[in-house]
């Protein structure tokens, strides 16, 4: 069957979204592919439909067990032969899947990157005809990516050990020029067809707020958007627990999601949100990858994220149905300290990169210019020529004033005081306050 017929048969769509057909045609011509498409752009269809046409099996490498399970369950519902291999399988289940794969019963086989160097998997990979390797969340291969995973570096060596090199495709929602170059190099993509869709989601309204009391700000916002489906992201599990408990106490129906909950509770809470049984979910960044909920009307960041890539991916979960949606970031200087602490707790490798990304995130929160333009420039697309008229800065009445000379005087005073005193004492000196 041709791609459009398969799209209609299994997915129920009459036509492809922008970029999907071009990518599918390139794969069917035998070319490697790099697809960078924002959250909700329909990346999975780009490798799932060719997998149904190509001879043999397509190996999909995916970073999250929950993401793999969601996609495989959906494919099975569509009537597509798919299965997954990860750490949740029993030995018996693993052996059965291996046997079925050898017998050619699957068109798509999802696998966690950690499996790629196990002897049992390498042996299987050498025995079955692999037509394509599709790398999902491909930014994970780069240390410049916002979610670097060393296990992704094993993909190239696994492909090298196959009897015949398959088509290699890589997909991600967010990638800077550096990350894009890393994906091509570290996965050894051969003269890939590259498709980079615009990062501009015109239906999303962006705003940065700096409230004195974040809880009151959230309360007020939710009262104006009663019954609407939304996500609130917090930096830590503790923030999630406290905010969820507080909102429930105030009569707001909300559930929560973070890695500290049991698998059963996470699954139940996620299902309640996806099925619209609960309109609001409060979560850490552990929630959302692969979640295809079209009617999310707002995403609030209770704390500033560590980087623009993570922020835009999470914010992009709003408005996937194309209708208007809001992305509100609540910023405070304490968020900077929290993120610095989280970076310090992480591994030493790549720490300087994380600090650079954090600085860009702080710049976003403090810019007086168009927020949409800032995002587009960050991802190498170039800013807008005029106001977007759909972000908090373009729609505000704030007037800009040049305070270069005042800033120079303040910095000069800080330097002359040998950088030993806080803002209050520096201000006293500058004002000539009548104090000691």
């Amino acid at each position: 069957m041709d791609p459009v017929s398969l799209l209609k048969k299994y997915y129920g769509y009459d036509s492809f979204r922008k970029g999907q057909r071009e990518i599918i045609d390139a794969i069917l011509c035998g070319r490697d592919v790099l697809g960078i498409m924002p959250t909700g752009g329909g990346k999975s269809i780009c490798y799932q439909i060719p997998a149904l046409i190509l001879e043999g099996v397509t190996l999909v490498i995916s970073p999250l067990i929950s993401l793999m399970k969601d996609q495989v369950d959906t494919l099975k519902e569509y009537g597509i032969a798919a299965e997954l291999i990860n750490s949740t399988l029993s030995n018996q289940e693993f052996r059965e899947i291996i046997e079925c794969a050898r017998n050619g019963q699957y068109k798509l086989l999802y696998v966690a990157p950690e499996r790629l160097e196990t002897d049992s998997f390498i042996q299987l990979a050498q025995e079955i005809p692999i037509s394509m390797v599709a790398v999902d969340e491909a930014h994970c291969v780069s240390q410049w990516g916002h979610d670097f995973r060393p296990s992704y570096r094993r993909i190239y060596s696994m492909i090298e050990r196959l009897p015949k090199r398959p088509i290699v495709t890589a997909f991600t929602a967010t990638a800077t020029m550096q990350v894009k170059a890393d994906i091509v190099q570290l996965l050894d993509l051969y003269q890939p067809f590259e498709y980079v869709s615009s990062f501009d989601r015109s239906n999303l309204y962006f705003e940065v707020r700096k409230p004195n009391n974040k809880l009151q700000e959230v309360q007020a916002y939710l009262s104006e958007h009663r019954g609407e489906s939304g996500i609130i992201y917090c930096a830590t599990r503790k923030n999630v627990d406290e905010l969820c408990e507080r909102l429930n106490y105030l009569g707001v129906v909300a559930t929560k999601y973070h890695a500290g909950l049991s698998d059963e509770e996470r699954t139940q809470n996620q299902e309640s949100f996806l099925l619209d049984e609960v309109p609001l979910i409060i979560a850490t960044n552990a929630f959302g990858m692969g979640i295809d909920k079209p009617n999310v009307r707002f995403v609030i960041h209770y704390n500033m994220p560590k980087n623009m890539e993570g922020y835009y991916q999470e914010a992009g979960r709003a408005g996937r149905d194309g209708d208007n949606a809001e992305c509100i970031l609540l910023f405070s200087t304490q968020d900077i300290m929290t993120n610095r602490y989280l970076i310090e707790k992480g591994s030493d490798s790549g720490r300087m990169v994380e600090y650079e990304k954090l600085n860009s995130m702080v710049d976003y929160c403090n810019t007086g210019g168009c927020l949409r333009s800032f995002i587009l420039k960050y991802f190498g697309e170039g800013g807008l020529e005029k106001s977007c008229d759909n972000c908090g800065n373009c729609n505000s009445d704030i007037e800009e004033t040049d305070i270069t000379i005042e800033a120079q005087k303040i910095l000069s005073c800080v330097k002359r005081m040998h950088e030993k005193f806080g803002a209050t004492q520096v201000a006293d000196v500058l004002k000539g306050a009548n104090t000691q």
Side-chain angles (χ1 to χ4, degrees):
M1 292 179 77
D2 67 284
V4 176
S5 299
L6 290 169
L7 182 73
K8 179 67 175 175
K9 178 182 177 181
Y10 290 110
Y11 301 89
Y13 300 125
D14 293 315
S15 60
F16 287 103
R17 293 182 187 177
K18 189 177 179 183
Q20 288 179 328
R21 185 63 195 256
E22 295 92 322
I23 290 172
I24 289 168
D25 287 344
I27 294 171
L28 294 177
C29 288
R31 290 189 66 180
D32 286 356
V33 163
L34 171 60
I36 301 173
M37 306 166 82
T39 302
K43 294 181 287 297
S44 56
I45 281 178
C46 294
Y47 57 80
Q48 288 172 358
I49 283 186
L52 298 173
I53 298 172
L54 296 169
E55 293 290 329
V57 65
T58 288
L59 206 62
V60 182
I61 297 162
S62 184
L64 286 180
I65 290 173
S66 59
L67 175 57
M68 279 194 278
K69 186 178 184 308
D70 286 345
Q71 290 209 9
V72 170
D73 286 348
T74 302
L75 288 170
K76 286 178 177 177
E77 287 176 16
Y78 293 161
I80 295 171
E83 197 48 85
L84 56 85
I85 296 177
N86 60 39
S87 58
T88 65
L89 299 175
S90 66
N91 289 333
Q92 177 64 26
E93 288 172 323
F94 179 65
R95 282 193 295 270
E96 288 174 2
I97 290 171
I98 292 286
E99 193 57 36
C100 290
R102 286 196 177 105
N103 294 332
Q105 294 184 26
Y106 305 126
K107 290 305 292 180
L108 292 117
L109 193 59
Y110 282 70
V111 60
E114 290 75 19
R115 283 271 174 176
L116 299 181
E117 284 191 341
T118 61
D119 292 337
S120 57
F121 181 79
I122 288 295
Q123 186 178 347
L124 171 68
Q126 291 172 340
E127 291 175 3
I128 61 176
I130 296 175
S131 56
M132 174 169 57
V133 172
V135 183
D136 204 5
E137 308 297 342
H139 60 269
C140 295
V141 78
S142 172
Q143 277 194 298
W144 286 89
H146 63 286
D147 195 17
F148 171 59
R149 298 192 182 214
S151 56
Y152 262 61
R153 296 285 176 95
R154 299 175 193 142
I155 296 171
Y156 168 69
S157 57
M158 183 276 294
I159 293 171
E160 271 200 318
R161 295 172 69 177
L162 298 177
K164 181 185 176 185
R165 186 188 185 277
I167 299 165
V168 182
T169 60
F171 297 90
T172 183
T174 52
T176 59
M177 298 303 288
Q178 176 70 57
V179 172
K180 182 179 159 187
D182 275 359
I183 291 171
V184 173
Q185 179 190 347
L186 297 170
L187 295 177
D188 195 31
L189 301 183
Y190 178 69
Q191 296 182 354
F193 171 77
E194 295 185 9
Y195 182 84
V196 182
S197 66
S198 173
F199 283 92
D200 186 12
R201 298 268 306 279
S202 58
N203 64 313
L204 299 185
Y205 169 84
F206 293 94
E207 184 177 352
V208 176
R209 299 183 183 181
K210 301 175 182 178
N212 292 325
N213 187 310
K214 289 187 177 183
L215 177 62
Q216 288 179 3
E217 188 76 19
V218 168
Q219 249 188 291
Y221 185 90
L222 295 178
S223 68
E224 294 171 7
H225 297 79
R226 291 185 192 279
E228 292 183 6
S229 185
I231 305 170
I232 300 179
Y233 279 105
C234 298
T236 65
R237 299 175 191 179
K238 184 182 178 186
N239 288 151
V240 169
D241 290 336
E242 289 177 350
L243 182 58
C244 188
E245 184 180 344
R246 187 68 183 146
L247 289 176
N248 286 163
Y249 175 77
L250 293 169
V252 177
V253 180
T255 189
K256 62 184 178 180
Y257 189 104
H258 60 66
L261 304 176
S262 67
D263 290 345
E264 185 180 350
E265 190 176 357
R266 278 203 308 273
T267 302
Q268 184 179 334
N269 293 352
Q270 179 172 302
E271 288 297 315
S272 296
F273 177 67
L274 292 177
L275 297 173
D276 288 323
E277 294 168 358
V278 177
L280 180 66
I281 192 164
I282 300 154
T284 61
N285 60 6
F287 175 79
M289 197 179 280
I291 298 299
D292 189 8
K293 182 172 167 61
N295 64 332
V296 175
R297 295 274 64 87
F298 62 86
V299 172
I300 296 174
H301 280 81
Y302 198 72
N303 309 104
M304 178 190 70
K306 285 193 295 184
N307 50 62
M308 285 298 301
E309 290 91 340
Y311 171 68
Y312 197 56
Q313 193 168 48
E314 288 157 14
R317 288 174 187 134
R320 292 179 69 152
D321 54 7
D323 289 346
N324 291 339
E326 297 189 344
C327 307
I328 311 295
L329 195 161
L330 307 182
F331 173 71
S332 71
T333 52
Q334 180 58 42
D335 293 336
I336 303 172
M337 305 309 296
T338 301
N339 281 311
R340 283 184 172 276
Y341 171 73
L342 293 172
I343 291 171
E344 287 296 327
K345 274 182 66 180
S347 62
D348 292 341
S349 63
R351 192 173 286 172
M352 291 310 297
V353 172
E354 289 196 63
Y355 277 129
E356 284 183 37
K357 289 178 176 292
L358 177 59
N359 288 339
S360 294
M361 194 71 236
V362 174
D363 288 345
Y364 172 81
C365 291
N366 287 308
T367 182
C370 174
L371 295 175
R372 192 178 305 278
S373 268
F374 189 101
I375 292 168
L376 296 178
K377 285 177 185 174
Y378 181 85
F379 289 111
E381 196 171 319
L384 302 173
E385 292 182 4
K386 56 181 182 178
S387 299
C388 74
D389 296 326
N390 196 28
C391 80
N393 287 359
C394 288
N395 293 352
S396 75
D397 298 324
I398 295 171
E399 291 184 13
E400 286 190 1
T401 305
D402 186 348
I403 58 164
T404 303
I405 293 172
E406 290 87 342
Q408 287 171 336
K409 289 179 179 178
I410 293 167
L411 291 172
S412 175
C413 182
V414 170
K415 184 69 175 174
R416 291 181 184 210
M417 293 172 73
H418 306 293
E419 302 176 34
K420 291 181 180 178
F421 300 93
T424 303
Q425 281 165 298
V426 172
D428 282 348
V429 171
L430 288 164
K431 290 187 297 183
N434 188 22
T435 64
Q436 276 186 303

